[in-house]
């Protein structure tokens, strides 16, 4: 079957193309995101494959429906970028890849934590500049620290397990408890977690109820010097409030793999351009902030799993078989 892959990078092609060819599908790759102009390119295809910053709003869904698209395969876990009620109304089948590698994201979150607590990101630059002084690089042991995990699904539960392996005391919050976490950490109310954690790592989806869950009030309730890690979705965090918390030293350090307005920045090489997002630019000025550009998923294992599930769903759709990880 013919499928158009939006927001395609060379690595997407590398992993998707051989599997698709083997299964007898024809994939075309375009670098651009889907928008109200590029959606017309979907004409002549039966399916499209999109990524995290491809916004599938009502207008675009209607346009690709008119173009003949019936299957949308999201090659990501999160789906806050899709207008699901509209997709349902139009009769689209939408699939995602919910657990391509929870280890990839969990390990990235812990990697960011280790970098920040031992100042590795700054040490790397110093040593390259022949500056071997240690002043300003003083860290703290992870062992014995209290870690709060918000969202204990596939990724949060693996993150909790890794922190527990470091000898941390792990506290958990979720609207639904995960049996896999029992024995690793203790479920507590959100307020308790916020007030009693040295490190807080976010692993819940972006929904109306989680939007800006980290804000001026919740930051004020946290321990002074808290480390905040977000590898989930940028919208969970009110960035202005975090900047304020960093400026008054209430927040000790921040690791972000996602950012509220990342759509205009991430996944592109902008090294020759002026960044016009002043909030993002301010974040970059803090020595105790580590930012990666939505990279947590980016391992060979995860790309392989994403390609396998995506191609499998094209095959199933064509054969009229039940789809894997269907949202509608
Ligand atoms: P999951 O569905 O397995 O787990 C999410 C958990 O969050 C569930 O247990 C759910 O009950 C919980 N939750 C929902 N609403 C909540 C709320 N209001 N408060 C507390 N918990 C709540 O999802 P997952 O695979 O673990 O992924 C988590 C998130 O990570 C995804 O939604 C996605 O946004 C993000 N993600 C980021 C990357 C990356 O590269 N940075 C990659 C994959 C996923």
């Amino acid at each position: 079957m013919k499928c158009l892959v939006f927001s395609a990078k060379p690595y997407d092609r590398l992993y998707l193309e051989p599997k698709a060819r083997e299964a007898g599908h024809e994939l075309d790759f375009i670098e651009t995101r889907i928008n109200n102009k590029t959606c017309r390119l979907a004409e002549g295809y039966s399916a499209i494959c999109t990524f995290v910053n491809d916004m599938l709003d009502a207008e675009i869904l209607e346009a690709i429906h008119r173009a003949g698209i019936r299957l949308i395969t999201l090659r990501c876990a999160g789906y806050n970028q899709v207008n699901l009620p509209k997709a349902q109304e139009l009769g689209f089948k939408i699939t995602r890849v919910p657990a391509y590698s929870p280890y990839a994201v969990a390990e990235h979150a812990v990697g960011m934590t280790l970098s920040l607590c031992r100042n590795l990101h700054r040490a790397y630059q110093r040593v390259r500049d022949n500056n071997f002084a240690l002043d300003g690089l003083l860290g703290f042991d992870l062992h014995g620290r209290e870690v709060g995990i918000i969202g204990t699904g596939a990724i949060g539960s693996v993150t909790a397990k890794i922190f527990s392996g470091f000898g941390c005391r792990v506290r958990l919050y979720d609207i639904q408890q995960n049996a896999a976490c029992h024995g690793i950490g203790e479920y507590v109310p959100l307020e308790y977690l916020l007030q009693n954690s040295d490190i807080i790592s976010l692993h819940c989806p972006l929904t109306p109820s989680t939007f800006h869950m980290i804000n001026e009030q919740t930051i004020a309730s946290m321990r002074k010097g808290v480390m905040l890690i977000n590898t989930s979705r940028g919208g969970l965090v009110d960035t202005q409030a975090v900047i304020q918390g960093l400026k008054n030293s209430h927040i000790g350090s921040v690791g972000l793999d996602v950012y509220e307005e990342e759509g205009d920045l991430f996944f592109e090489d902008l090294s020759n351009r002026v960044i016009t997002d002043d909030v993002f630019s301010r974040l970059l000025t803090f020595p105790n902030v580590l930012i990666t550009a939505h990279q947590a998923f980016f391992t060979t294992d995860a790309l392989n799993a994403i390609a396998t599930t995506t191609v499998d769903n094209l095959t199933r759709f064509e054969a009229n078989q039940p789809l894997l990880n269907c949202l509608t």
Side-chain angles (χ1 to χ4, degrees):
M1 104 186 250
K2 281 188 77 180
C3 174
L4 183 60
V5 183
F6 283 92
S7 298
K9 298 290 181 196
Y11 46 82
D12 292 311
R13 182 187 280 258
L14 193 66
Y15 282 83
L16 279 166
E17 202 162 44
K19 287 187 200 292
R21 203 180 313 117
E22 202 179 312
H25 301 299
E26 192 186 325
L27 262 52
D28 285 320
F29 296 82
I30 51 169
E31 270 197 43
T32 178
R33 287 193 197 144
I34 196 163
N35 58 38
N36 51 15
K37 286 202 180 83
T38 60
C39 64
R40 293 188 209 130
L41 298 169
E43 192 99 37
Y45 293 88
S46 309
I48 61 165
C49 176
T50 61
F51 195 46
V52 287
N53 290 320
D54 287 303
M55 296 302 156
L56 295 166
D57 58 23
E59 199 185 334
I60 287 176
L61 288 171
E62 273 169 2
I64 58 172
H65 190 264
R66 281 195 299 277
I69 300 296
R70 293 297 176 264
L71 171 67
I72 302 172
T73 59
L74 309 178
R75 52 182 193 285
C76 54
Y79 51 89
N80 53 286
Q81 71 278 23
V82 187
N83 182 335
L84 279 185
K86 187 71 189 172
Q88 210 141 20
E89 181 195 315
L90 291 168
F92 278 111
K93 286 286 172 211
I94 302 195
T95 63
R96 64 177 183 132
V97 192
Y100 42 82
S101 173
Y103 306 101
V105 184
E107 288 168 12
H108 194 83
V110 177
M112 293 191 109
T113 307
L114 285 168
S115 261
L116 286 164
C117 79
R118 303 304 301 270
N119 285 301
L120 300 181
H121 56 302
R122 297 179 61 214
Y124 171 81
Q125 284 186 335
R126 265 196 202 188
V127 169
R128 288 173 73 90
D129 203 23
N130 295 342
N131 177 354
F132 307 113
L134 297 183
D135 309 85
L137 298 183
L138 188 64
F140 60 85
D141 290 10
L142 262 188
H143 181 90
R145 285 300 192 284
E146 308 203 32
V147 177
I149 306 283
I150 302 181
T152 58
I155 297 169
S157 59
V158 172
T159 311
K161 208 171 190 172
I162 300 175
F163 275 120
S164 148
F166 274 104
C168 298
R169 175 161 190 188
V170 179
R171 298 215 174 86
L172 312 159
Y173 172 74
D174 199 308
I175 49 171
Q176 225 177 344
Q177 294 199 5
N178 179 351
C181 286
H182 294 144
I184 299 172
E186 173 195 359
Y187 277 96
V188 294
L190 181 59
E191 298 69 32
Y192 186 87
L193 183 150
L194 295 172
Q195 286 162 13
N196 293 285
S197 299
D198 300 303
I199 296 158
I200 296 174
S201 194
L202 306 178
H203 299 287
C204 53
L206 176 60
T207 64
S209 73
T210 60
F211 176 73
H212 281 189
M213 73 189 310
I214 303 300
N215 55 43
E216 197 184 333
Q217 286 77 37
T218 49
I219 290 170
S221 72
M222 292 175 193
R223 279 186 179 170
K224 189 166 162 54
V226 64
M227 181 190 294
L228 186 64
I229 304 290
N230 187 11
T231 55
S232 202
R233 281 292 178 268
L236 298 179
V237 171
D238 177 348
T239 315
Q240 295 279 13
V242 164
I243 288 174
Q244 215 36 54
L246 284 160
K247 280 169 76 176
N248 63 29
S249 299
H250 194 81
I251 297 180
S253 51
V254 175
L256 300 176
D257 186 53
V258 286
Y259 167 61
E260 239 180 313
E261 304 299 330
E262 70 177 51
D264 293 334
L265 298 168
F266 288 4
F267 304 117
E268 303 305 328
D269 178 0
L270 305 180
S271 50
N272 281 327
R273 302 242 203 106
V274 169
I275 301 295
T276 53
D277 181 336
D278 291 346
V279 176
F280 187 74
S281 299
R282 181 68 178 104
L283 273 179
L284 290 177
T285 65
F286 294 100
N288 46 352
V289 172
L290 173 62
I291 300 180
T292 52
H294 209 135
Q295 185 194 331
F297 77 100
F298 199 52
T299 66
T300 52
D301 313 75
L303 289 188
N304 242 321
I306 290 170
T308 301
T309 309
T310 303
V311 170
D312 204 5
N313 269 327
L314 295 178
T315 304
R316 284 165 177 265
F317 185 81
E318 204 171 36
N320 219 0
Q321 287 171 354
L323 299 173
L324 304 168
N325 317 311
C326 223
L327 289 169
T328 55

